[in-house]
Amino acid sequence: MLTKTPLLNETDISASTGGERMSRADKEFKIVVRNLSFYYGKIQALKDVSLDIQANKVTAIIGPSGCGKSTFIRILNRMNDIIPGVRVEGKVMIDSQNIYDGNVGAVEIRRRVGMVFQKSNPFPKSIFENVAYGLRISGLIKKSSDLGERVRRALVDAVLWDEVKDRLNASAFKLSGGQQQRLCIARALVIEPEVILFDEPCSALDPTSTAKVEELIQNLKDKYTIVIVTHNMQQAARVSDYTAFLMLGELIEFNKTNKMFTTPSEKVTEDYITGRFG
Amino acid sequence: MISAHINEKIAKLVLWISSLTILAILLAIIGFVVMRSIGIINLEFIFSMPRAGGREGGILSMIIGTLCLIAISTTVASPIGIGGGIYLTEYAGEHPLSKIITFGAEWLAGVPSIIFGLFGFAFFVVFLGWGFSILSGGMVLACMILNETIRTTQESIKAVPASYREASYALGATKWQTVSRVVLKSAAPGILTGIILGIGRAAGETAAIMLTVGSFMALPTSLFSSVRPMSLHLYLLAIAEVHPGAIARAFGTATLLVLMVLIVNLSVHTIMRRYTRALR
Amino acid sequence: MLKEWIIEKSLIVAAMVSFVIIAFIIMIVFRAGVPLIAEVGVGNFLFGMDWRPEREIFGIFPMIIGTLLVALFSMLISVPLGILTAIFLAEVAPEIMRNILRPAIELLAGIPSVVYGFVGLMVLVPFIRTHLGPPGFSILAGSIVLAIMALPTIITISEDAIKAVPKSYKEASFAVGATHWQTIKNIILPAARSGILAGVVLGSGRAIGETMAAIMVLGNLPVIPTSVLGPIRTLTANVAMEMAYAPHGPHRQALFATGVVLFIVVSILVVISNRLRRGQ
């Protein structure tokens, strides 16, 4: 570790240094990560990461490739459970419930924590069915009119409705790359998660589509807590309220975004942000 | 939600059951054949000639017959199949010819063996006048295993890293020098497995043989001798005989055939394991 | 460079061989069979109810029905079992089960058809005869044996198709809170559909083209069956049974003609399977 466990220091909230101590303010943190280590077999991908993610804010995770940022974000919805031979140590609390407790199911967690992937990955189904999928498998929606309304609302929230309302039954593959990514966002929104994770959502998009998605992310934070992984520093500066900088599996610095990009407290952070490496 | 979890459990249980069923079927078949052949299989069974139309004695001439067919079919099919595989992967590129040839090979793989039998009968036995003979049967089998040799050659050559070729070309080697000394050398174990699989297929094939090798029980004296290979012997004993000696010998023959397949598969696995380790 | 030229040309020739064989098979089998079909009339040959070679009446309709019925019933058994096992292998199986099942399936594929027929004859036929009613030689026995034989084809091709489904679909489904089984059922299987279908089509092609196992357990009566416990004769069995004592004249031609029909049916299935696999 280069520093003591870095935590928010600019907020009016007294940051907790250990997982056990619950301060008054912990309730405002949607996600609390404590002493998180992660292993692919024998390889350690994350080392003792602790950090707090605020509700209704956008938190960006940046760092050079291979730093563990994708691994980190996939821990938050237990997506890494799919990979055989992985191991998680430490705690990830969402609303003070450790999501890695034995009695918590990955499926339930993923309903509460949605995810949008690096490359848009619509299913080979119609536009409507792509969005409806999450509702259908949940078995919660009984009436088809309710289903239609929920799908419409998700598409509206994802700013895609006007572009697709006349062709909901067309294949999702007919959409442009940017539209496909917004469809994937709608697919994540429809089940009304509490947190949405974005794993480099714009890395395959052109600048116009990127701008649309970024604007969308800004609008979504009123309703959701958002964590975004990006290798694009400008993007992190544009969309996020807080930024965490990871390197070689360690959390180097975690700060308010404008502080991080103007006066970082770590020399490495500054080197990275100013493009001296990575 | 709860029902989704129960569904998950039930579904996985069903998946386990169907897979275990398949394992059980395999074990039952092999177990049944092997159990019933205990007492008949011994060195005498393997090394003595059949007597009384196969009701007594061993199956030496059948084993020899099968070995002759294997020898001819692999000798003919291997060079052609390997050559074809080399052409398709190293030379043909995106040539339209390669698509046609690949499709031809796939088509050939789907042709029922009895059709090969009809073809072999009309062409080798009658038209070329080779009669019911090892040669006719061996040639038909060569046609049947050709596809396997081509396919495995293609696959093994594709697995050779491009860097090997580049290194060879960089030293000024010609195409054929590169192919024969670098590519084929690395692909050899994979190609060998193709040939071994072909041997297994040739040993077990019956329908095509039935119409081309005859069923003569004596030891062959030339390429034009008729023989009765093990697979055909098993069939003829099974359908025509109720004599306990014949049935016991049928089980013995079946066990040897299964054993052959077992050896073939085991050696393929052993070769592939060593080979992939070496490539790493 | 002359040497390089000669080598390349001889490799092309080797590659062409499989195509030449297909061409030869078509030429020879069709030349021997088509004239008889023309003489008897396509309708009379395909839809004729009577097969009486001694009176030169050649109708293969009962055998077409028999072949299709056995193929259909065997698929009813092997398709669910095969697809479930493919899902198990591709998605659910722990490493150790995979290491047991894969070689088991290869072994299942390698066991000669005559051994399957023999086990069917020794186990299934007597069982059906005593417990379900005579004669034991029946569609039921044949369907079970052919189902087992078609399993490796269906499993291998379906597993490949399932594995070819992009991992991103699976992740996206998990990310919205789907269980593993929901993901398999709603996303993976639909995406792998055409590949799985290709396996099923090829598997039925195998069942239709199978000779030895069919001939040994189906009873070989050229009649339209009235129950699954009744005997039938397949197209392949027709050829294999009678070739031995029909060396001349229209009878032999009629057997080649049967081969022509079989060849066309199986070739159509190969083409469909090929298209489906490329469609994925």
Side-chain angles (χ1 to χ4, degrees):
Chain A
M1 291 294 290
L2 295 170
T3 58
K4 286 272 178 223
T5 315
L7 291 166
L8 291 176
N9 45 20
E10 276 229 351
T11 53
D12 53 350
I13 301 151
S14 66
S16 55
T17 44
E20 307 313 316
R21 216 187 88 207
M22 287 294 204
S23 72
R24 169 190 64 83
D26 270 354
K27 291 216 161 46
E28 292 186 34
F29 292 126
K30 184 69 186 171
I31 305 172
V32 174
V33 177
R34 282 293 171 274
N35 309 108
L36 177 71
S37 291
F38 186 84
Y39 302 84
Y40 294 103
K42 288 191 177 115
I43 300 156
Q44 186 168 9
L46 289 175
K47 295 170 191 160
D48 200 31
V49 172
S50 295
L51 103 126
D52 302 331
I53 291 167
Q54 284 219 54
N56 299 102
K57 297 282 184 224
V58 178
T59 303
I61 317 282
I62 61 168
S65 45
C67 70
K69 50 190 195 293
S70 276
T71 304
F72 176 78
I73 200 174
R74 292 166 70 99
I75 285 174
L76 301 183
N77 67 342
R78 292 190 50 176
M79 209 59 191
N80 286 329
D81 289 18
I82 310 177
I83 307 162
V86 297
R87 191 157 53 86
V88 180
E89 281 171 8
K91 282 185 180 171
V92 178
M93 319 277 283
I94 296 181
D95 293 339
S96 32
Q97 178 194 32
N98 185 359
I99 63 168
Y100 282 92
D101 262 354
N103 57 359
V104 180
V107 168
E108 284 74 19
I109 294 304
R110 292 183 197 133
R111 281 174 198 281
R112 293 172 57 194
V113 183
M115 186 166 204
V116 176
F117 296 84
Q118 183 166 3
K119 227 176 134 273
S120 61
N121 53 354
F123 300 126
K125 293 174 184 282
S126 70
I127 294 169
F128 183 88
E129 285 303 327
N130 258 280
V131 182
Y133 179 70
L135 292 173
R136 285 197 194 280
I137 53 161
S138 73
L140 293 174
I141 298 292
K142 296 282 177 274
K143 288 215 307 259
S144 67
S145 58
D146 291 353
L147 187 70
E149 175 54 22
R150 292 276 293 269
V151 168
R152 189 191 65 83
R153 238 187 304 151
L155 285 167
V156 169
D157 285 351
V159 207
L160 190 60
W161 174 251
D162 289 337
E163 295 162 56
V164 300
K165 63 184 173 200
D166 302 324
R167 45 173 176 151
L168 290 174
N169 291 322
S171 163
F173 293 144
K174 293 256 162 65
L175 298 175
S176 73
Q179 288 172 326
Q180 286 191 12
Q181 193 59 303
R182 276 178 285 142
L183 180 69
C184 293
I185 294 174
R187 183 174 64 191
L189 294 179
V190 78
I191 51 170
E192 297 177 345
E194 300 153 31
V195 180
I196 302 180
L197 311 172
F198 288 86
D199 188 358
E200 308 224 15
C202 303
S203 61
L205 300 184
D206 60 88
T208 321
S209 306
T210 300
K212 275 189 189 163
V213 171
E214 284 180 8
E215 193 190 332
L216 178 54
I217 290 173
Q218 283 294 324
N219 296 336
L220 288 173
K221 72 176 178 183
D222 295 339
K223 280 201 211 163
Y224 307 95
T225 302
I226 290 171
V227 183
I228 175 171
V229 160
T230 176
H231 63 269
N232 178 338
M233 234 79 61
Q234 278 63 46
Q235 184 168 59
R238 283 193 300 262
V239 301
S240 71
D241 303 296
Y242 296 94
T243 300
F245 174 50
L246 286 175
M247 201 169 83
L248 298 170
E250 292 187 48
L251 179 59
I252 307 297
E253 186 168 351
F254 181 39
N255 225 323
K256 277 202 157 177
T257 298
N258 44 28
K259 168 102 176 32
M260 183 89 120
F261 281 88
T262 48
T263 49
S265 28
E266 297 296 328
K267 176 79 169 62
V268 220
T269 315
E270 192 181 334
D271 285 351
Y272 180 66
I273 287 170
T274 52
R276 244 161 272 169
F277 70 86
Chain B
M1 273 323 296
I2 291 181
S3 74
H5 280 289
I6 295 174
N7 274 342
E8 175 96 0
K9 290 253 158 64
I10 296 173
K12 287 195 173 163
L13 185 69
V14 171
L15 294 179
W16 271 93
I17 291 173
S18 51
S19 307
L20 292 176
T21 307
I22 287 176
L23 272 187
I25 291 172
L26 177 69
L27 290 179
I29 291 173
I30 294 178
F32 173 73
V33 171
V34 172
M35 293 296 278
R36 290 283 300 266
S37 66
I38 288 173
I40 181 77
I41 291 197
N42 50 33
L43 287 181
E44 201 205 321
F45 180 65
I46 295 170
F47 289 110
S48 63
M49 290 292 287
R51 294 188 307 273
R55 290 180 187 180
E56 291 166 29
I59 56 165
L60 180 66
S61 54
M62 288 81 186
I63 295 176
I64 302 279
T66 296
L67 293 179
C68 290
L69 290 176
I70 291 172
I72 292 175
S73 55
T74 46
T75 312
V76 173
S78 302
I80 298 175
I82 294 170
I86 294 172
Y87 178 76
L88 288 176
T89 37
E90 293 287 321
Y91 289 83
E94 292 299 302
H95 202 280
L97 194 65
S98 87
K99 269 195 192 129
I100 298 175
I101 293 170
T102 308
F103 178 68
E106 266 176 49
W107 196 4
L108 205 57
V111 172
S113 49
I114 192 73
I115 303 278
F116 278 101
L118 277 179
F119 158 71
F121 172 79
F123 187 63
F124 299 121
V125 176
V126 177
F127 182 74
L128 294 182
W130 293 349
F132 292 107
S133 63
I134 301 176
L135 191 58
S136 300
M139 290 304 287
V140 171
L141 286 176
C143 298
M144 296 180 72
I145 63 178
L146 186 62
N147 176 57
E148 190 75 24
T149 325
I150 294 179
R151 201 180 51 79
T152 41
T153 305
Q154 276 180 291
E155 277 170 18
S156 346
I157 290 181
K158 275 184 195 150
V160 177
S163 58
Y164 288 21
R165 296 182 185 83
E166 283 158 16
S168 170
Y169 285 130
L171 293 171
T174 64
K175 180 146 198 166
W176 177 244
Q177 282 170 335
T178 305
V179 169
S180 60
R181 297 191 194 163
V182 178
V183 177
L184 279 187
K185 213 172 162 192
S186 324
I191 296 174
L192 184 61
T193 64
I195 296 173
I196 296 173
L197 285 171
I199 291 176
R201 172 118 195 251
E205 178 51 43
T206 319
I209 294 297
M210 221 156 88
L211 306 185
T212 48
V213 292
S215 60
F216 198 50
M217 281 207 226
L219 285 170
T221 50
S222 83
L223 282 179
F224 295 100
S225 304
S226 164
V227 290
R228 182 192 282 206
M230 292 158 73
S231 55
L232 188 56
H233 184 55
L234 168 57
Y235 168 69
L236 292 171
L237 289 181
I239 56 150
E241 294 275 1
V242 285
H243 188 277
I247 296 299
R249 279 160 184 76
F251 274 104
T253 313
T255 298
L256 288 184
L257 282 172
V258 171
L259 194 70
M260 236 178 221
V261 176
L262 212 60
I263 293 170
V264 161
N265 284 18
L266 269 179
S267 38
V268 166
H269 271 268
T270 315
I271 293 169
M272 283 323 282
R273 207 175 309 132
R274 290 218 185 125
Y275 175 47
T276 42
R277 206 180 296 149
L279 263 187
R280 252 178 230 148
Chain C
M1 283 302 95
L2 179 67
K3 187 182 158 205
E4 292 275 326
W5 185 86
I6 293 172
I7 287 168
E8 180 164 350
K9 291 305 160 209
S10 35
L11 290 177
I12 294 182
V13 171
M16 293 295 291
V17 167
S18 57
F19 207 75
V20 169
I21 294 173
I22 274 282
F24 259 63
I25 291 178
I26 295 174
M27 224 165 65
I28 285 170
V29 175
F30 278 52
R31 228 188 66 175
V34 171
L36 181 114
I37 301 181
E39 195 180 308
V40 177
V42 178
N44 290 339
F45 186 68
L46 290 181
F47 299 110
M49 297 296 288
D50 285 313
W51 175 264
R52 284 189 206 149
E54 69 285 354
R55 286 165 57 186
E56 301 199 356
I57 298 174
F58 304 109
I60 60 167
F61 192 64
M63 296 172 236
I64 293 178
I65 294 297
T67 304
L68 295 181
L69 275 180
V70 176
L72 178 74
F73 283 119
S74 66
M75 286 302 118
L76 287 182
I77 303 169
S78 65
V79 166
L81 202 56
I83 293 178
L84 288 171
T85 305
I87 297 171
F88 182 76
L89 274 171
E91 287 289 325
V92 176
E95 191 66 23
I96 180 163
M97 273 305 283
R98 228 171 280 168
N99 289 340
I100 296 172
L101 260 178
R102 287 241 172 78
I105 290 161
E106 280 164 27
L107 197 55
L108 216 48
I111 292 178
S113 56
V114 63
V115 173
Y116 282 108
F118 179 56
V119 174
L121 180 68
M122 288 292 144
V123 180
L124 279 177
V125 171
F127 182 88
I128 292 171
R129 186 187 299 138
T130 43
H131 290 90
L132 301 172
F137 292 100
S138 55
I139 296 181
L140 182 62
S143 306
I144 295 173
V145 175
L146 293 190
I148 296 171
M149 296 178 68
L151 277 172
T153 307
I154 296 177
I155 295 173
T156 323
I157 297 180
S158 303
E159 193 197 347
D160 287 348
I162 292 170
K163 282 207 205 131
V165 174
K167 221 178 100 212
S168 65
Y169 292 177
K170 192 173 161 183
E171 287 189 332
S173 175
F174 275 125
V176 292
T179 63
H180 196 177
W181 176 244
Q182 284 174 327
T183 304
I184 291 169
K185 195 179 70 174
N186 297 311
I187 302 297
I188 296 179
L189 289 186
R193 193 180 45 212
S194 67
I196 293 175
L197 211 56
V200 173
V201 170
L202 206 59
S204 20
R206 289 276 149 81
I208 288 173
E210 175 49 39
T211 310
M212 299 319 292
I215 210 175
M216 291 168 89
V217 300
L218 281 170
N220 303 321
L221 274 187
V223 291
I224 294 206
T226 49
S227 110
V228 288
L229 298 178
I232 51 136
R233 177 187 287 191
T234 61
L235 292 169
T236 52
N238 196 38
V239 178
M241 296 280 302
E242 300 195 354
M243 226 22 221
Y245 57 85
H248 303 291
H251 189 184
R252 189 211 277 181
Q253 283 185 319
L255 298 179
F256 273 92
T258 312
V260 169
V261 174
L262 183 65
F263 182 84
I264 292 173
V265 171
V266 171
S267 298
I268 290 171
L269 292 177
V270 168
V271 172
I272 293 175
S273 167
N274 196 292
R275 283 277 158 81
L276 282 170
R277 233 185 306 179
R278 238 178 278 156
Q280 198 185 0

